[in-house]
Amino acid sequence: MDLSKEHLIAEFKKLKGMFANQPVQRKSPHPWQTVLNSIAMMNTTGEKQPAIVLWVPLEGAATTLDCLVNHTFRALYDVSRHVINRWIISSDSFLSGDTSRDKKALDTRLEAILSDEAVAIPVALVRHIDRLDANMALLFHKYCDHEASLRPKSIIMLTLDGEIATADQSHIYDLLRSKWIKDKIHRGQVDAILSRILTWPVYVQKEEDSVLAKHCP
């Protein structure tokens, strides 16, 4: 696993050429520039906080997002898809209705991935965090905290299931806040976790079907 700036720039340059519809807006950061920025922040804060990247699909871009995330994962981990799957967490696996049990199971899974000493900087991907209830989402406090993360030398990638209309951070904030406040969690707690997971949002717009067929069969 080579997370040097030179290696990542070279890998992400290839991805830029593969996916022409990114970034969403002409002056917006490219998705992989945002990933680089988050890793740079982790490296310059004395390892106090992990690199946290939230991937957000615009309308019709859910399939494109999955494709881009998978390619990004492979740029970070030069291993097979089978191995990569061990570091991917689906929120659907923790929706049994028993919040206490589900939260403990998710915590155990995240801790196992982020404490993996076989790699220099572990990477975890949690898909569809907007499907989790607020009690489950609060678990991310100890992993995504800006000052006291349990695993500061790590990369945590999150994705949304719900698509948003425009590349605007306030839309993501409103989407998640309205959902999680309904779960009778104090607004201050919800706002705190949102401030952590919205540090580096990456907006993805739909690529042409021919592009997806070629690069994401």
Side-chain angles (χ1 to χ4, degrees):
M1 181 183 185
D2 182 0
L3 283 183
S4 68
K5 184 176 180 179
E6 294 75 16
H7 168 77
L8 292 180
I9 287 176
E11 290 296 312
F12 292 159
K13 186 176 181 179
K14 297 175 187 176
L15 296 181
K16 284 183 181 182
M18 292 163 57
F19 301 101
N21 280 357
Q22 316 305 320
V24 173
Q25 299 170 341
R26 185 176 180 183
K27 294 184 179 180
S28 298
H30 201 278
W32 296 290
Q33 183 60 53
T34 302
V35 175
L36 281 172
N37 290 344
S38 69
I39 294 173
M41 177 66 74
M42 174 189 66
N43 289 332
T44 58
T45 57
E47 297 180 0
K48 290 183 178 180
Q49 67 183 60
I52 304 163
V53 181
L54 176 64
W55 293 80
V56 182
L58 298 188
E59 291 181 347
T63 301
T64 301
L65 183 146
D66 286 341
C67 180
L68 266 61
V69 169
N70 287 337
H71 276 283
T72 302
F73 224 124
R74 285 197 287 272
L76 297 171
Y77 275 109
D78 185 18
V79 293
S80 69
R81 183 186 296 246
H82 173 73
V83 174
I84 287 174
N85 286 340
R86 293 178 359 215
W87 290 291
I88 296 177
I89 299 173
S90 171
S91 294
D92 289 345
S93 301
F94 306 94
L95 300 177
S96 72
D98 185 336
T99 299
S100 178
R101 185 179 66 183
D102 288 339
K103 190 173 183 178
K104 183 177 180 179
L106 177 57
D107 189 14
T108 299
R109 182 79 188 280
L110 263 175
E111 172 63 12
I113 294 171
L114 297 179
S115 62
D116 187 353
E117 296 181 354
V119 291
I121 301 178
V123 182
L125 169 63
V126 184
R127 294 189 183 276
H128 305 153
I129 63 165
D130 45 331
R131 293 186 185 178
L132 300 173
D133 66 26
N135 280 294
M136 295 286 288
L138 292 179
L139 173 65
F140 292 104
H141 268 298
K142 68 179 185 179
Y143 294 104
C144 299
D145 191 89
H146 296 168
E147 293 294 332
S149 170
L150 182 65
R151 297 293 175 186
K153 192 176 181 181
S154 63
I155 300 171
I156 301 173
M157 296 198 293
L158 312 167
T159 75
L160 292 186
D161 178 37
E163 300 172 352
I164 65 171
T166 58
D168 186 337
Q169 189 165 318
S170 64
H171 285 262
I172 317 171
Y173 181 89
D174 291 341
L175 173 73
L176 294 175
R177 194 171 193 266
S178 62
K179 171 180 171 54
W180 288 340
I181 283 179
K182 291 178 184 177
D183 294 328
K184 298 181 180 180
I185 298 299
H186 190 278
R187 293 188 178 190
Q189 290 179 293
V190 173
D191 290 340
I193 191 58
L194 287 174
S195 73
R196 287 158 174 76
I197 66 177
L198 289 177
T199 305
W200 297 101
V202 172
Y203 304 101
V204 177
Q205 67 180 356
K206 187 180 185 301
E207 292 284 350
E208 298 296 329
D209 291 341
S210 58
V211 172
L212 295 178
K214 180 178 180 180
H215 297 302
C216 305

